[in-house]
Amino acid sequence: MMKSLEGRRAYVTGGSSGIGAAIVEAFANAGAAVAIGASKRARNAEVLADRIRGKGGTAHVIVGDLSDRAATDAAAKAAIQALGGLDIFVHCAGIDVTKTAPTHETPDDTWDRMMSIHLTAAFRLSKALIPEMLNGTKPSILFIGSVAGVVAWQDDVAYNVAKAGLHHLARCIAADYARQGLRANAIAPGVIDTPLTRGYASGMEGGEGQGMQVLAGLHPIGRYATPDEVAGTALFLSSDAAGFITGVVLPVDGGMTMI
């Protein structure tokens, strides 16, 4: 996949750490100019952008709180302006609850924030970006969902439903724009070794170390994945190699959803 995105322009939300940062680096290494979306970890995004520029690549940082509608619209405009257009949009920004609860004990603000970051931001960004992307080169939208959007994780209703909605948003966009050449897909990762996951594991019985072992055991393959393993899939789905793939939710889950 070396240089498989040569000349493409990609905007990746949540690009400052974890899966998002791995996708940004993979895209840049494949020749894409990248806009790195960030919020609280803007400094991390700047460090990543400097590293890409140091290798001769093109990278910009787009800072904005995607739970705020005005900031979301501004981020879309800033990404297009920085890159001079757009060919690839990846929505990877996300949050998780640090304390699980059954549906009737889930706070309204937890529900609202999950929907705003995972789903509403994806919709609003897509709405703002698609007109420009239709003028781009083989445009592609990719959402980073979750196995929790395929099967229900107990006591995590807001996250589950937000990710399921994100998967279906990808399908809807794929259906709307297939004849115009814009593809849309989603990835449903299992447990990935990211700061978000470790924060979740730290709230489990026995703390982070034991929690990560429990999470690893959920996968038939016997381990959790690295961010680079998801980034490789993202690179494939955004490249010409996947030119006949659209409307797909692809599990990258070590077999978790097959059983």
Side-chain angles (χ1 to χ4, degrees), residues 2-259:
M2 292 299 293
K3 302 305 176 184
S4 60
L5 299 183
E6 189 72 46
R8 306 285 176 87
R9 300 154 297 180
Y11 172 36
V12 182
T13 67
S16 61
S17 67
I19 294 171
I23 291 173
V24 166
E25 197 135 29
F27 281 16
N29 289 340
V34 293
I36 308 169
S39 180
K40 294 180 180 178
R41 298 185 179 91
R43 178 56 189 156
N44 291 1
E46 293 287 358
V47 170
L48 177 55
D50 286 343
R51 185 161 68 247
I52 291 168
R53 295 182 196 117
K55 296 178 181 178
T58 300
H60 307 272
V61 176
I62 309 297
V63 179
D65 178 3
L66 298 185
S67 67
D68 178 86
R69 293 193 174 192
T72 300
D73 294 341
K77 293 178 182 178
I80 291 170
Q81 183 174 10
L83 294 170
L86 194 67
D87 308 299
I88 300 168
F89 167 46
V90 180
H91 184 57
C92 190
I95 56 173
D96 203 351
V97 291
T98 55
K99 184 177 181 181
T100 59
T103 299
H104 76 286
E105 295 178 4
T106 298
D108 287 352
D109 61 348
T110 297
W111 175 274
D112 292 343
R113 186 156 176 78
M114 285 290 173
M115 295 301 160
S116 69
I117 297 292
H118 292 281
L119 187 52
T120 302
F123 166 71
R124 291 191 65 82
L125 286 168
S126 297
K127 186 177 178 180
L129 296 170
I130 285 172
E132 183 66 33
M133 294 182 71
L134 292 174
N135 297 318
T137 301
K138 298 179 181 179
S140 170
I141 290 176
L142 181 64
F143 296 146
I144 307 303
S146 171
V147 293
V150 179
V151 297
W153 285 18
Q154 188 176 8
D155 295 339
D156 212 354
V157 61
Y159 184 82
N160 294 348
V161 174
K163 289 297 191 181
L166 188 62
H167 294 170
H168 206 53
L169 178 60
R171 296 187 188 100
C172 291
I173 292 172
D176 284 348
Y177 300 98
R179 291 196 178 277
Q180 293 169 266
L182 187 152
R183 298 183 300 110
N185 295 290
I187 295 174
V191 177
I192 314 297
D193 189 3
T194 66
L196 194 72
T197 300
R198 289 191 172 272
Y200 180 87
S202 67
M204 297 174 66
E205 185 177 350
E208 179 183 315
Q210 186 172 330
M212 291 298 288
Q213 290 181 14
V214 171
L215 293 174
L218 298 175
H219 307 79
I221 207 167
R223 63 175 177 86
Y224 43 78
T226 67
D228 286 341
E229 289 175 302
V230 181
T233 305
L235 178 57
F236 163 68
L237 285 174
S238 302
S239 74
D240 292 350
F244 204 58
I245 300 175
T246 194
V248 164
V249 178
L250 180 60
V252 180
D253 63 359
M256 184 188 294
T257 55
M258 75 177 177
I259 57 174

